[in-house]
Amino acid sequence: MTPTWLPALTELLGPNQVSVEADTLAIHGTDKWFAANTPKAVVFAESTADVSATLRFATENNIPVTPRGSGVGYVGGCVPLNGGIALSLARMNQILELNPADGLAIVQPGVITGDLQNAAAQLGWFYPPDPASLKECSLGGNLATNAGGPRCLKYGVTRHYVLGLEAVLMDGTILRAGGRCHKNKTGFDLIGLFVGSEGLLGIITEATLRLIPHPPLRAMLSASFDTFAEAAHAVQQILGSGHLPSALEITDRFTLQAARNYIGDTVPTGNAHLLIEIDGQPDAVPLEIAALQTLLQSLNALTISAAIGDLACEAFWKLRREFSYSLRATGLIKLNEDVVVPRGKLVELVTFAENLQAESGFPVACFGHAGDGNIHVNIMVPDMNDPDQRDRAEIALDRLFHHVLSLGGAITGEHGVGLAKKRWFPEAISPGAMDVHQRLKSALDPNNLLNPGKFVTPISE
């Protein structure tokens, strides 16, 4: 049924920016998680003024609004659970400024992460955050979830590169926080408040991002091991020997086999795998790679391959980025959980995952960022629409998250809470922290219209 408020919204923004076409509604009703709910209308914002006008209109008419970037999230964060308006920021896709002298870029939220990286690299500068979906995910989505990626170990996550931002509150108020300075301690950390807030407090419409000089040379090692425990031990030895790789990735047996089935024999042998990336000055990188090769040989690596330079390294990274697609190619639904454990608990986590596989009857695949303990545990379910399978999957997820919390871990490292992890959120933070979350939501969105139905509601609800 066409909503009664649609003509007024269309008149406010124009017919080219409001759609109720069935295909458009369906696309904007889901992300890469399995949940979906169709919005009543999709608004394609083209400016901050459009976002402000839409939110002000929605507040006046009590309409839920769910912001959306590229829709490649894994937790249902952009699913419009209460219908209403799906607010797409995809058309706000301009790099407004690249300024090496100031070491920054100013971007709109619809810019694709990889496009900013490429544009900065052409000037000899570097934007390090690198989620695996960097060729399709948007910076707005990265900001909303405080996205990470393999390079977090050395360079940090999205929040560490935000100097300033512009955001719109539910009542249409436009605020700016931070600016162009690399140091700025003026007032509360409003940037930190909005980065990672998953669109529950406001919608980011512009960001000023820190750039750093691009490392002159990078190199990589690909090493396979007979067991996951040996690969995890190698991680500790690498870091304990004074090396700080820019990335340190680990992969288990099931994921490797799925990749072999999908890609072919180019996938290394063995039951566990490490990818190690080093970057820095041309005189230093080859020496460090040689030292790491010697170390890996002493740690019983089955195979060791090296890559020097961007093109050779990208071939290794292409393999890493294919892991998710390889798992999807199994035909199973991939419940991708980005849990985090203290680094010393990696073997315990994967051992638990192997036991969970036997207990649940579902394959469980583990891979991810070994250097910071952020491991993607993927429970592979044939059919989430089958009630029995869905119940067993929910039990398996419950066991996983409780075990992670018992290890002193976190339920999400980079994907966010969204819908997928909503029921574990109260256990993952302290009662005092929950109270503060609800107070903030109540202050900025008292009627719970902005991305409603997710993990925080106003106190009144």
Side-chain angles (χ1 to χ4, degrees):
M1 180 182 296
T2 301
T4 57
W5 43 261
L6 181 65
L9 180 64
T10 303
E11 182 178 358
L12 176 68
L13 297 171
N16 293 328
Q17 291 180 242
V18 181
S19 175
V20 291
E21 294 182 1
D23 289 348
T24 301
L25 296 178
I27 289 170
H28 290 78
T30 189
D31 61 6
K32 292 201 172 186
W33 199 46
F34 66 87
N37 193 58
T38 306
K40 295 294 185 182
V42 177
V43 167
F44 294 95
E46 296 180 358
S47 66
T48 300
D50 289 342
V51 175
S52 178
T54 301
L55 294 186
R56 190 166 52 251
F57 177 88
T59 296
E60 292 168 354
N61 292 276
N62 199 40
I63 304 166
V65 177
T66 303
R68 180 185 179 88
S70 295
V72 295
Y74 283 104
V75 295
C78 63
V79 173
L81 199 63
N82 291 14
I85 296 169
L87 179 54
S88 171
L89 302 164
R91 293 183 186 176
M92 296 178 65
N93 59 4
Q94 298 300 306
I95 298 175
L96 302 174
E97 183 180 349
L98 273 175
N99 192 319
D102 286 351
L104 60 82
I106 301 177
V107 301
Q108 292 182 314
V111 172
I112 300 301
T113 305
D115 290 347
L116 173 62
Q117 290 184 339
N118 293 336
Q122 290 175 14
L123 300 178
W125 287 76
F126 188 33
Y127 179 69
D130 62 333
S133 57
L134 62 88
K135 293 183 180 179
E136 53 184 343
C137 65
S138 64
L139 289 166
N142 293 176
L143 292 161
T145 58
N146 194 21
R151 294 194 187 108
C152 292
L153 175 61
K154 182 175 181 179
Y155 289 107
V157 296
T158 297
R159 172 62 187 92
H160 299 126
Y161 294 87
V162 186
L163 300 175
L165 57 77
E166 176 186 77
V168 184
L169 305 184
M170 189 62 219
D171 64 2
T173 298
I174 300 170
L175 69 86
R176 299 190 72 91
R180 302 175 69 92
C181 298
H182 286 245
K183 283 186 176 181
N184 186 343
K185 175 55 196 84
T186 309
F188 295 146
D189 181 12
L190 297 182
I191 294 172
L193 181 64
F194 285 96
V195 175
S197 65
E198 301 188 39
L200 272 72
L201 301 179
I203 298 177
I204 297 172
T205 51
E206 182 183 294
T208 301
L209 302 176
R210 180 168 69 100
L211 304 178
I212 63 175
H214 203 289
L217 181 65
R218 62 176 174 146
M220 294 185 72
L221 292 173
S222 168
S224 62
F225 293 85
D226 185 50
T227 68
F228 190 93
E230 288 178 310
H233 176 66
V235 169
Q236 297 289 4
Q237 292 301 305
I238 289 167
L239 297 171
S241 299
H243 298 281
L244 182 58
S246 53
L248 186 49
E249 299 286 292
I250 197 166
T251 309
D252 76 347
R253 175 175 51 193
F254 184 91
T255 307
L256 289 171
Q257 188 55 54
R260 292 182 189 114
N261 295 340
Y262 181 64
I263 302 170
D265 295 335
T266 57
V267 179
T269 59
N271 296 314
H273 180 250
L274 285 184
L275 270 180
I276 307 146
E277 183 179 81
I278 298 293
D279 60 19
Q281 295 299 314
D283 291 341
V285 168
L287 295 175
E288 188 164 11
I289 284 291
L292 283 168
Q293 283 180 303
T294 300
L295 177 60
L296 291 169
Q297 288 167 353
S298 73
L299 296 172
N300 300 319
L302 299 176
T303 63
I304 304 173
S305 302
I308 306 290
D310 287 346
L311 288 177
C313 288
E314 278 306 307
F316 280 6
W317 278 120
K318 185 177 186 300
L319 168 65
R320 165 63 178 85
R321 293 182 183 119
E322 291 289 350
F323 286 159
S324 283
Y325 299 102
S326 299
L327 292 174
R328 287 196 202 107
T330 63
L332 303 172
I333 296 171
K334 183 166 71 74
L335 303 182
N336 182 356
E337 309 303 340
D338 62 320
V339 298
V340 190
V341 294
R343 201 167 57 223
K345 301 291 187 179
L346 286 177
V347 174
E348 186 171 341
L349 174 64
V350 173
T351 300
F352 173 83
E354 291 172 351
N355 293 334
L356 187 63
Q357 175 172 294
E359 178 184 299
S360 68
F362 299 129
V364 179
C366 298
F367 65 90
H369 320 314
D372 53 26
N374 182 194
I375 302 299
H376 296 269
V377 179
N378 301 268
I379 299 174
M380 310 293 291
V381 183
D383 184 5
M384 283 297 286
N385 292 317
D386 178 270
D388 175 66
Q389 292 186 42
R390 182 163 183 159
D391 287 346
R392 287 192 292 125
E394 293 292 348
I395 291 170
L397 289 171
D398 197 56
R399 294 261 292 117
L400 171 65
F401 287 124
H402 281 110
H403 187 72
V404 165
L405 291 174
S406 76
L407 296 176
I411 62 173
T412 176
E414 52 193 7
H415 293 167
V417 178
L419 288 173
K421 302 180 178 70
K422 176 181 175 179
R423 65 185 169 108
W424 296 282
F425 181 69
E427 300 174 60
I429 64 172
S430 72
M434 174 62 84
D435 181 59
V436 171
H437 275 75
Q438 291 184 306
R439 290 191 198 190
L440 288 169
K441 180 69 169 172
S442 298
L444 299 182
D445 182 21
N447 297 319
N448 197 25
L449 294 175
L450 191 54
N451 207 2
K454 303 307 192 301
F455 59 97
V456 179
T457 58
I459 292 174
S460 59
E461 295 196 1

